[in-house]
Amino acid sequence: MLNYILGRLLTFIPTFIGVTLISFSFIRALPGDPIQVMAGERGVSEARYAELAAQYGFDQPIYIQFWDYLTGVLQGDLGTSFVTKRPVWDEFFALFPATLELSFFAMLFAVLLGLPAGVIAAVNRGKLFDRALMSTALVGYSMPIFWWALLLIIVFSGNLQWTPVSGRIDLLYYFPNPTGFMIIDSLASGQKGAFASAVRHLVLPTIVLGTIPLAVIARQTRSAMLEVLGEDYIRTARAKGMSPGRINGIHALRNALIPVVTVIGLSVGTLLAGAILTETIFSWPGIGKWMVDSIFRRDYPVVQGGLLLIAVMVMIVNLTVDMLYGVINPKIRKR
Amino acid sequence: MSLKKLMATGLLLSTLGVSAHAQSLVYCSEGSPEGFDPALYTAGTTFDASSHPIYNRLSEFKVGTTETIPGLAESWEVSEDGKKITFNLRKGVKFHSNDQFTPTRDFNADDVIFSFDRQGNEENPYYTVSGGTWEYFNSMSMPELIESIEKVDDYTVVFNLTRPEAPIIANMAMDFASIQSKEYADAMMEAGTPEMLNQAPIGTGPFQFQAYQKDAVIRYLRNDEYWGDPAKVESLIFAITPDASVRYQKVQAGECHVMAYPNPADVQAMKDAEDIVVMEQEGLNVGYLAYNTKVAPFDNAKVRKALNMAIDKQAIIDVVFQGSGQIAKNPIPPTMWSYNDAIEDDNYDPEAAKAMLEAEGVSDLSLKIWAMPVQRPYNPNARRMAELMQEDFSKVGVNVEIVSYEWGEYLERSKAEDRDGAVLLGWTGDNGDPDNFLAVLLGCDAVGGSNRAQWCNEDFDKLIQEAKVLSSQDERAALYEQAQEIFKDQAPWATIAHSVVYMTMRPEVEGYVVHPLGGHIFNQVGLSQ
């Protein structure tokens, strides 16, 4: 197992360099540079432009710029934002817990609802529940996040006033955020009502961000279950007189889980993409909005650093998923 | 008995809690500030969060106007030759304090000198801190203009200029000229954390910085030792809410009191809503179409005038601005002093325009219109605007081709003196001084640069050069009014529109004033119970 993990970690190296190179060149391929974007209509004189370019290192040949960046990254230095003048690491760590918290609950929501829904649909194949669920899943999958979020806000926050419109906690509460996870910090603060407020603020963004993964997981679980339910050993189990609950819940589901876990792993990437919109609408201070702003401002260090960190996270999730295969199916471990 | 006591205490506490909450003004802002040292940045969002609540300047803009009034300088005198300005500083002004710093002295001349020196003097240890590029200091030509700043005594500072420049008093009220504490800067430099100046700001303003969480919330407390009129609320909170529809939902739900930048499409519904107040004012900007006055036949003022008469500006306001704009007849906005309201705009009259073109012997005219690729307050949709003009011009027999480039390219290429075509562009004022529009955009020095019409008119230029060196605002205004007449007569641009800025708030908000310079200022804002 250790060899397997080490082997996988080795494959990280070329991916890592590839991501660094791609993020470095893509943002530079966009027309316009940070100095022009910053100056706007006001314009900037040639002398001043040259001075600023030298300050940012743009006067160096491009391969030297890349080399400087790469050596910086390998030493753990992702550079400093052109806009805020703060280290990319600092900004990332200030914002990432919010994204992680939201993504975690969105995924939890998607898995807790998606798995049972998929199983029930498969068992009741062709019946009303199955059809209703599958069409709902299709709608969920194709839902524009922006529209869905605004709709929920207007109905649940505006008309019914069940949930707050946006933010992470009521502004009345003010306490330090040592972990950055509002759920934990609000509990630790000991302030009455803070935790409940944090939970209430999580509800809508969780639903919005979790909708697409929920639809994907439900569909994938259903089709994987259907496949397994047609296998001989299930028929044998039935013939033995085993209860349907045991057959579906244990024998079938466990074997159907491999493709489902794969999909969950892949959904993490989608989740991060969805987080960009969800965070913007719900004023959620995470890395999604941060990345988008930095692209518009041509804030090279932030775009490069942010993409790299996201890529690393996706790689780690994929590695975790691969390791989970072994847990679910011992045959894979032995291979 | 003890239970009663407990309940009474609880009741008292909860009442206190509620009233404390009621004294917090919550503003739904549109984005995060880049930082809190206004001299480092150029974005309005940053100034709203830094220079307005936290800092003061030598002179200040009177809220709701472009007039300058005394700030940290109680008064100033300009020398006979206009090259020496003496500022008499206010006494007894206290700086804020925080966990790491408690001021030991009041504001004085050292703070003024430090605040400017760090932006222009490479030897100053703060010159390179936080990657400072001092954009506004440079773009307002401060390095060329300021020869030296002298401390006469603790409360007198003299600015020696290289040339007389009347707008300098307005420049001193700009965000980049915010006064920092030298004592704080020295303490932070000694502690090895000079970036704190930008992250944990200390100023003399009506609110003291309390906490900031990026993309979420900024908190301020009232500065009870403020030298001017104290702020009306105990605390000010910026709830950062990037989406305009969500901001509106939050105002409706009572999660914030005031919001910035509503969607133009929502404004009508907001005006109709009972418990929502909408304020409006023209923005300090102008959107225009600049002909290239160096290329025939656009070097002929009558041709330009005829084309101006062919544009249906009302249609543009309705379609492109969706009502959030006002027709512009002058190159400066109506909220600016010296605006010449006596000037009559070129009427929309395609027939007359056609006749004028024929009289000038112009036929089969082709024209390129450059459409900006970005959205701006003075032009929310340049492509659409260009299409409407294309349609208008075709009615007078002028064939229009619309071109566009990436924004950086666009700005660069449109400067060329031999440019083919007319350019859609605009300007947002910096310091409320007419010089900032008329000289920057239409002066002879700016040809080949920000003067996109490449228009150099001797009479016009003489007036604005003369106005630049006079110190009496009335005398200057008279010259600028004349300059606007020449502008209208010569028509180097088709002036299109000034945007209209809307502010949406709850009815309990008292004393809010829309500021023509674009900032959102809460010093004078209170909440009714």
Side-chain angles (χ1 to χ4, degrees):
Chain A
M1 190 65 183
L2 192 66
N3 280 343
Y4 173 72
I5 296 177
L6 282 178
R8 280 302 303 267
L9 283 177
L10 275 181
T11 65
F12 272 23
I13 296 171
T15 318
F16 185 81
I17 293 175
V19 170
T20 317
L21 186 61
I22 289 171
S23 61
F24 182 88
S25 35
F26 271 22
I27 183 68
R28 277 170 180 74
L30 282 180
D33 66 42
I35 301 174
Q36 285 173 336
V37 170
M38 194 167 64
E41 292 90 332
R42 226 154 294 282
V44 54
S45 71
E46 267 172 48
R48 183 81 191 131
Y49 185 94
E51 207 179 309
L52 289 173
Q55 202 171 353
Y56 291 146
F58 297 160
D59 54 343
Q60 303 283 338
I62 193 85
Y63 59 88
I64 303 241
Q65 288 183 44
F66 181 66
W67 179 248
D68 286 348
Y69 174 62
L70 192 65
T71 46
V73 167
L74 291 175
Q75 291 162 26
D77 176 14
L78 291 178
T80 304
S81 160
F82 291 158
V83 176
T84 63
K85 329 280 185 203
R86 300 192 64 175
V88 174
W89 268 122
D90 289 7
E91 297 217 315
F92 180 81
F93 278 115
L95 298 170
F96 186 56
T99 299
L100 199 60
E101 184 174 69
L102 177 57
S103 305
F104 173 78
F105 282 101
M107 203 36 119
L108 197 68
F109 165 78
V111 171
L112 289 185
L113 284 186
L115 267 185
V119 171
I120 297 172
V123 174
N124 299 295
R125 184 182 185 181
K127 291 189 189 150
L128 185 64
F129 178 83
D130 180 32
R131 287 195 196 156
L133 188 84
M134 283 307 105
S135 14
T136 316
L138 186 67
V139 173
Y141 186 67
S142 351
M143 189 92 72
I145 289 189
F146 214 83
W147 177 83
W148 179 223
L150 281 176
L151 186 78
L152 289 181
I153 289 179
I154 290 169
V155 173
F156 292 102
S157 311
N159 297 341
L160 298 171
Q161 309 213 328
W162 289 355
T163 53
V165 177
S166 76
R168 289 180 85 188
I169 193 158
D170 194 299
L171 293 168
L172 178 68
Y173 301 105
Y174 173 47
F175 45 79
N177 292 86
T179 68
F181 297 97
M182 195 56 89
I183 289 287
I184 299 173
D185 291 340
S186 60
L187 261 184
S189 77
Q191 292 191 19
K192 203 172 151 251
F195 178 71
S197 172
V199 171
R200 272 159 36 88
H201 279 80
L202 253 174
V203 175
L204 289 191
T206 297
I207 294 176
V208 168
L209 187 57
T211 299
I212 292 180
L214 167 64
V216 174
I217 290 170
R219 283 158 61 101
Q220 187 63 50
T221 309
R222 177 183 175 271
S223 61
M225 278 293 284
L226 284 179
E227 203 171 303
V228 174
L229 286 175
E231 298 276 342
D232 289 346
Y233 67 88
I234 296 291
R235 203 173 44 194
T236 312
R238 279 204 190 109
K240 274 197 334 191
M242 196 183 272
S243 76
R246 233 178 123 77
I247 296 173
N248 297 329
I250 296 180
H251 293 271
L253 183 60
R254 179 153 187 175
N255 285 297
L257 269 183
I258 294 275
V260 175
V261 168
T262 310
V263 161
I264 293 175
L266 290 176
S267 293
V268 172
T270 326
L271 212 58
L272 289 170
I276 292 172
L277 285 174
T278 314
E279 286 175 3
T280 306
I281 299 172
F282 289 100
S283 323
W284 199 266
I287 55 168
K289 174 118 200 339
W290 177 61
M291 290 289 297
V292 174
D293 285 349
S294 64
I295 293 172
F296 281 122
R297 287 164 168 171
R298 308 287 189 271
D299 194 347
Y300 295 170
V302 172
V303 178
Q304 289 163 187
L307 278 178
L308 189 64
L309 291 169
I310 291 174
V312 168
M313 273 175 335
V314 172
M315 287 194 274
I316 292 172
V317 169
N318 282 339
L319 179 67
T320 317
V321 167
D322 285 357
M323 287 179 346
L324 271 180
Y325 289 166
V327 177
I328 298 166
N329 186 346
K331 278 200 292 191
I332 295 179
R333 211 177 328 168
K334 282 183 192 136
R335 247 185 254 150
Chain B
M1 190 64 188
S2 67
L3 186 68
K4 255 189 187 168
K5 232 182 197 170
L6 199 70
M7 278 171 69
T9 322
L11 196 66
L12 184 70
L13 278 178
S14 66
T15 329
L16 281 177
V18 168
S19 70
H21 190 45
Q23 280 309 308
S24 295
L25 180 75
V26 184
Y27 164 58
C28 269
S29 66
E30 75 287 4
S32 286
E34 299 148 303
F36 290 91
D37 180 352
L40 291 170
Y41 307 109
T42 55
T45 312
T46 301
F47 298 153
D48 284 346
S50 59
S51 38
H52 302 316
I54 302 171
Y55 296 99
N56 289 121
R57 288 137 294 275
L58 291 177
S59 57
E60 298 275 0
F61 293 113
K62 190 176 168 193
V63 179
T65 72
T66 56
E67 244 176 83
T68 44
I69 54 170
L72 290 180
E74 272 179 325
S75 62
W76 48 82
E77 293 109 41
V78 182
S79 68
E80 197 78 345
D81 66 355
K83 284 161 70 173
K84 186 169 158 184
I85 299 169
T86 309
F87 287 99
N88 304 307
L89 307 183
R90 200 175 287 277
K91 291 178 182 142
V93 175
K94 312 272 182 228
F95 277 102
H96 307 150
S97 54
N98 62 18
D99 295 351
Q100 296 149 56
F101 173 74
T102 310
T104 63
R105 63 165 176 81
D106 289 352
F107 153 76
N108 68 23
D110 293 332
D111 302 314
V112 176
I113 292 176
F114 166 73
S115 300
F116 293 98
D117 191 60
R118 67 186 185 126
Q119 302 187 50
N121 175 11
E122 290 179 30
E123 307 289 306
N124 189 303
Y126 270 91
Y127 184 73
T128 51
V129 166
S130 300
T133 52
W134 317 111
E135 271 326 292
Y136 248 122
F137 185 77
N138 282 288
S139 78
M140 299 310 287
S141 310
M142 290 295 123
E144 296 87 57
L145 186 62
I146 299 177
E147 196 178 78
S148 64
I149 307 177
E150 278 170 54
K151 171 180 173 176
V152 177
D153 58 49
D154 269 358
Y155 293 99
T156 316
V157 185
V158 173
F159 278 60
N160 293 306
L161 308 183
T162 54
R163 57 169 193 265
E165 171 103 351
I168 185 119
I169 300 295
N171 289 352
M172 288 297 114
M174 285 176 65
D175 307 272
F176 79 86
S178 294
I179 301 298
Q180 295 277 357
S181 159
K182 179 170 193 297
E183 199 189 359
Y184 181 49
D186 289 345
M188 289 303 107
M189 188 55 90
E190 201 167 301
T193 53
E195 68 279 5
M196 293 316 278
L197 221 59
N198 184 28
Q199 291 170 19
I202 291 282
T204 55
F207 288 100
Q208 177 167 346
F209 174 82
Q210 189 187 14
Y212 168 51
Q213 198 196 351
K214 190 176 162 67
D215 286 340
V217 60
I218 316 172
R219 291 170 189 275
Y220 307 88
L221 293 174
R222 177 164 65 202
N223 172 11
D224 286 321
E225 294 185 310
Y226 188 51
W227 57 269
D229 291 335
K232 297 226 165 44
V233 289
E234 280 161 20
S235 69
L236 173 65
I237 300 176
F238 281 28
I240 299 164
T241 314
D243 188 80
S245 314
V246 175
R247 284 200 291 278
Y248 183 41
Q249 288 291 331
K250 280 176 87 85
V251 172
Q252 284 180 306
E255 289 179 31
C256 47
H257 297 105
V258 184
M259 67 171 274
Y261 308 111
N263 275 333
D266 289 340
V267 168
Q268 196 50 49
M270 291 175 180
K271 285 180 177 169
D272 295 342
E274 264 177 27
D275 51 352
I276 298 292
V277 177
V278 182
M279 289 188 184
E280 61 180 86
Q281 189 178 53
E282 296 88 4
L284 195 77
N285 56 39
V286 63
Y288 59 79
L289 176 76
Y291 303 105
N292 186 348
T293 59
K294 287 200 167 171
V295 173
F298 308 100
D299 53 348
N300 179 348
K302 286 190 178 137
V303 172
R304 301 194 295 258
K305 201 92 177 154
L307 290 173
N308 283 1
M309 288 164 67
I311 301 172
D312 183 357
K313 293 190 201 174
Q314 191 55 50
I316 290 176
I317 298 290
D318 294 343
V319 174
V320 179
F321 287 84
Q322 297 182 325
S324 65
Q326 192 205 36
I327 289 181
K329 61 180 179 182
N330 288 329
I332 59 173
T335 45
M336 185 171 263
W337 58 269
S338 85
Y339 180 80
N340 191 340
D341 208 13
I343 281 175
E344 280 198 29
D345 202 10
D346 304 310
N347 277 331
Y348 171 57
D349 189 345
E351 290 306 316
K354 207 170 175 176
M356 261 173 92
L357 285 175
E358 272 164 21
E360 292 306 308
V362 175
S363 57
D364 290 331
L365 185 59
S366 291
L367 169 66
K368 276 188 183 146
I369 291 185
W370 293 40
M372 301 141 52
V374 292
Q375 200 180 5
R376 280 292 190 265
Y378 54 73
N379 192 341
N381 187 345
R383 183 89 206 173
R384 192 81 192 92
M385 191 184 281
E387 285 165 4
L388 290 175
M389 289 180 170
Q390 187 177 39
E391 174 97 15
D392 288 339
F393 285 155
S394 76
K395 286 181 196 153
V396 297
V398 177
N399 186 25
V400 169
E401 183 193 342
I402 299 172
V403 295
S404 190
Y405 301 95
E406 180 280 320
W407 187 220
E409 276 297 296
Y410 188 94
L411 292 166
E412 204 46 49
R413 287 192 189 203
S414 57
K415 287 180 188 163
E417 292 185 44
D418 59 350
R419 181 195 71 225
D420 181 13
V423 171
L424 283 176
L425 205 63
W427 184 256
T428 301
D430 299 309
N431 58 7
D433 197 290
D435 181 75
N436 182 240
F437 277 74
L438 301 176
V440 173
L441 305 176
L442 294 158
C444 289
D445 291 345
V447 168
S450 53
N451 185 340
R452 296 309 203 281
Q454 319 298 352
W455 182 68
C456 176
N457 179 296
E458 276 177 26
D459 299 332
F460 179 91
D461 208 55
K462 203 168 147 239
L463 288 170
I464 57 168
Q465 291 304 336
E466 213 178 309
K468 212 184 181 85
V469 300
L470 289 174
S471 53
S472 148
Q473 185 166 314
D474 292 341
E475 288 172 42
R476 294 183 65 205
L479 297 179
Y480 288 132
E481 281 172 23
Q482 279 182 50
Q484 290 169 66
E485 281 167 25
I486 299 177
F487 169 87
K488 199 71 214 175
D489 184 55
Q490 291 294 312
W493 300 348
T495 48
I496 314 281
H498 310 292
S499 76
V500 172
V501 179
Y502 290 101
M503 281 302 284
T504 306
M505 62 201 76
R506 297 184 60 81
E508 62 264 31
V509 176
E510 289 177 340
Y512 190 86
V513 179
V514 184
H515 193 48
L517 284 146
H520 301 98
I521 300 174
F522 299 99
N523 311 356
Q524 75 296 347
V525 180
L527 292 171
S528 64
Q529 295 303 319

